[in-house]
Amino acid sequence: MTAYLIATIDVHDAEGYEAYKSTVPALIENHGGRYIVRGGERDDVEGDWPSGRVVVLEFPHWESANASADDPAYEPVRQSANPRPHPISGSSRVSRAAPMQRASTPTSSAGFA
């Protein structure tokens, strides 16, 4: 079953984040993953959402999502982005849901993951 990894990222080390940006996309691809969302504007429809960039990744299965997060090549660059990943399993098929009300002001997170 498809697995998704949702993360919020706070950059605390701009130089280290450059290494993160050059390392992580290949690492994700090596584990069969692909980016679905990389930053951009967002609305907090209900409740609060952690600060930082939002990144959503898709993997072919749960094991590959966890393997990417546990990959030893990820450890040296991890701290520069302070990621908070949350893997979830699910289906890529989405049912139609009732529309939700939007928050009054979207939150923007610029840059690349």
Side-chain angles (χ1 to χ4, degrees):
M1 177 179 287
T2 304
Y4 298 90
L5 193 144
I6 301 170
T8 54
I9 297 175
D10 288 318
V11 178
H12 298 288
D13 171 5
E15 185 177 311
Y17 189 56
E18 291 303 315
Y20 183 93
K21 290 189 314 187
S22 66
T23 302
V24 172
L27 186 142
I28 290 165
E29 187 177 317
N30 288 345
H31 291 281
R34 69 183 185 103
Y35 285 92
I36 304 294
V37 174
R38 282 176 144 176
E41 289 187 10
R42 68 173 202 247
D43 285 341
D44 294 339
V45 178
E46 290 186 39
D48 295 323
W49 187 263
S51 66
R53 297 176 38 73
V54 176
V55 176
V56 180
L57 304 170
E58 179 184 60
F59 290 90
H61 43 77
W62 183 259
E63 294 80 11
S64 60
N66 282 309
S68 73
D70 294 335
D71 191 309
Y74 185 47
E75 191 55 39
V77 297
R78 177 187 315 252
Q79 296 306 314
S80 65
N82 190 30
R84 292 173 304 282
H86 307 279
I88 56 174
S89 63
S91 170
S92 59
R93 288 180 256 140
V94 177
S95 62
R96 184 163 258 185
M100 299 179 81
Q101 292 183 333
R102 293 188 167 273
S104 58
T105 307
T107 303
S108 178
S109 36
F112 295 102

